[in-house]
Amino acid sequence: MEKPENQAEEIEKSIRKKFHKQLFSKFAKGVRDYELVQEGDRIAVCISGGKDSMLMAKLFQELQRHRKVSFELEFLVMNPGYAQANREMIEHNAAKMDLPITMFESSIFDAVYEIEKSPCYLCARMRRGHLYHKAQELGCNKIALGHHYDDVIETILMGMLYGGQIQTMMPKLHSTNFPGMELIRPMYYIREKDIEHWRDYNHLQFLRCACRFTENCASAQESEENLSKRLEIKELIAEMKKVNPFVEGNIFKSVENVNLSTIIAYKKQGVKHHFLEEYYDQE
C-alpha cells in the first residue's frame, strides 16, 4: 500500500517535539516506574485500530530508537471479523504511520454474536487469549495493550460504584493461561485528552468502534456507547472535577495508598482475609 510522502515523519516529529511532554515522557516514565520493558524482550504491540493502540505503536518505535534497552517489536493486529471498511482503515493507517503490522484472522465476532449474556466480556477474554497465543507463536514474551490513565481511574470508580469492590487496572500482569507471558500497559500515565489532541493535530482518523454490534458508530456518536457505564463514570468524574480539580489524581493515587489497618476485608491470590482474624490478637 502506498503511503503518503513524509506523513509518518510528521507524525513522529509531533511526538518528539510538540507532544513530547504529554505523550513520550509519560510513556517512558510508565515503562521505567513499572519496569515494563527489559533487555531482550520481544513485545507484541496489540493494535485494535483505535487512537490509543495506534499511538502506543508509535511511542514504542520512538522508545526503541533511544536504544537504552535492546528489545524487539511485533505490531500485531487481530481481525476478529471486522467489516471490510474497518479492516481497510486499519491497513491504511498502518501504512500512513509506517507501522509494519502482522494481521491474523479469527472468528470471535461470529462466536459471540448470538450470546445474550455479557457478550462484551466474553469477546474481550477471547480476544486476549487469541492475542497471547499468536504473540507466543511469534516468539514474544509480552503483549502490550493501549489502556491509558483515564481508563485506570474509570476502572477504579466502576469497581466501587457498580461492582462493590476496590480494584485497579494493573500496569502489568503475569498471564495465568500462557506461562512465561506478561501483559503490560505502558500508556498508564497518558491522559486521553492528550491522545485526542495528538490525533487531531495530525488530522488522523481511527476506528471508534470495532465491534460488530456497534460498527455503525465508527462515524457517529449515537450508539449503546452513550448508555454505557463507562460513559456515566466519565461524566461523574467531569462533574467532580468542577468542585475539586485534583479529583482525578486522587482517584489514581487511592489504590497506591491503601491502609490495610482500616480495611474490613480484602482478597489476596483469591483468599479472603477479614480484619477480625488479627483483631483479638492485638488485645
Side-chain angles (χ1 to χ4, degrees):
M1 186 178 298
E2 185 178 350
K3 59 186 178 186
E5 187 177 2
N6 293 331
Q7 187 155 5
E9 291 180 16
E10 289 301 314
I11 291 168
E12 290 162 7
K13 182 180 177 182
S14 73
I15 291 173
R16 295 191 193 110
K17 302 291 186 180
K18 184 174 180 61
F19 297 99
H20 186 273
K21 182 178 178 181
Q22 301 96 321
L23 298 178
F24 184 73
S25 289
K26 290 184 177 180
F27 184 83
K29 178 174 169 57
V31 168
R32 181 174 63 251
D33 286 357
Y34 299 115
E35 301 178 357
L36 301 183
V37 178
Q38 277 85 37
E39 189 78 22
D41 278 346
R42 186 173 177 84
I43 302 168
V45 181
C46 300
I47 298 174
S48 66
K51 66 185 189 312
D52 306 329
S53 60
M54 284 289 195
L55 172 59
M56 176 177 65
K58 294 307 295 181
L59 289 169
F60 261 118
Q61 284 183 328
E62 185 64 21
L63 185 70
Q64 199 174 42
R65 289 188 185 103
H66 282 236
R67 300 186 182 277
K68 291 186 177 180
V69 176
S70 178
F71 62 93
E72 297 179 57
L73 297 171
E74 283 281 352
F75 298 101
L76 195 57
V77 179
M78 180 183 64
N79 177 13
Y82 291 137
Q84 185 62 26
N86 287 345
R87 176 181 179 139
E88 288 174 358
M89 178 180 280
I90 294 173
E91 292 172 333
H92 174 72
N93 281 331
K96 182 191 303 184
M97 298 173 69
D98 197 17
L99 294 171
I101 59 172
T102 297
M103 185 175 288
F104 70 101
E105 310 296 321
S106 74
S107 56
I108 290 176
F109 284 174
D110 287 336
V112 302
Y113 193 70
E114 302 298 331
I115 302 294
E116 294 184 7
K117 186 177 180 181
S118 303
C120 296
Y121 173 77
L122 178 61
C123 181
R125 287 186 62 87
M126 291 179 68
R127 284 162 71 102
R128 190 167 300 178
H130 278 70
L131 287 168
Y132 268 126
H133 185 269
K134 185 63 177 181
Q136 200 170 50
E137 185 180 287
L138 293 172
C140 298
N141 63 311
K142 293 177 179 177
I143 66 170
L145 302 184
H147 297 115
H148 49 67
Y149 185 99
D150 296 73
D151 291 324
V152 176
I153 62 175
E154 290 160 15
T155 297
I156 294 169
L157 272 192
M158 285 180 71
M160 294 175 64
L161 301 181
Y162 298 119
Q165 57 188 344
I166 296 175
Q167 63 177 18
T168 191
M169 180 181 281
M170 297 296 286
K172 66 179 179 180
L173 293 166
H174 289 291
S175 172
T176 54
N177 297 319
F178 294 85
M181 295 289 291
E182 284 183 81
L183 180 155
I184 60 174
R185 295 183 170 106
M187 297 177 72
Y188 211 73
Y189 289 146
I190 295 178
R191 299 305 309 264
E192 185 173 28
K193 63 181 175 60
D194 293 325
I195 300 173
E196 292 169 344
H197 189 189
W198 167 83
R199 175 199 62 196
D200 297 341
Y201 176 83
N202 286 288
H203 307 291
L204 296 168
Q205 292 185 335
F206 300 113
L207 286 186
R208 182 172 296 159
C209 302
C211 175
R212 180 176 296 176
F213 298 104
T214 55
E215 274 173 345
N216 292 332
C217 81
S219 59
Q221 196 78 23
E222 80 283 359
S223 71
E224 296 149 21
E225 180 186 8
N226 288 333
L227 303 175
S228 72
K229 292 291 184 285
R230 190 165 288 274
L231 187 59
E232 291 177 24
I233 292 294
K234 280 181 181 292
E235 293 171 351
L236 175 62
I237 293 172
E239 285 300 311
M240 291 191 294
K241 191 177 177 181
K242 293 176 184 178
V243 179
N244 177 7
F246 305 107
V247 70
E248 294 160 310
N250 289 342
I251 295 170
F252 187 89
K253 289 185 289 186
S254 68
V255 291
E256 296 181 352
N257 297 318
V258 178
N259 185 347
L260 290 181
S261 298
T262 64
I263 297 296
I264 301 296
Y266 65 93
K267 286 183 180 178
K268 186 173 183 180
Q269 296 179 339
V271 178
K272 186 173 181 177
H273 300 273
H274 198 277
F275 87 103
L276 287 177
E277 294 172 6
E278 298 180 359
Y279 182 79
Y280 294 108
D281 295 336
Q282 298 171 5
E283 292 182 338

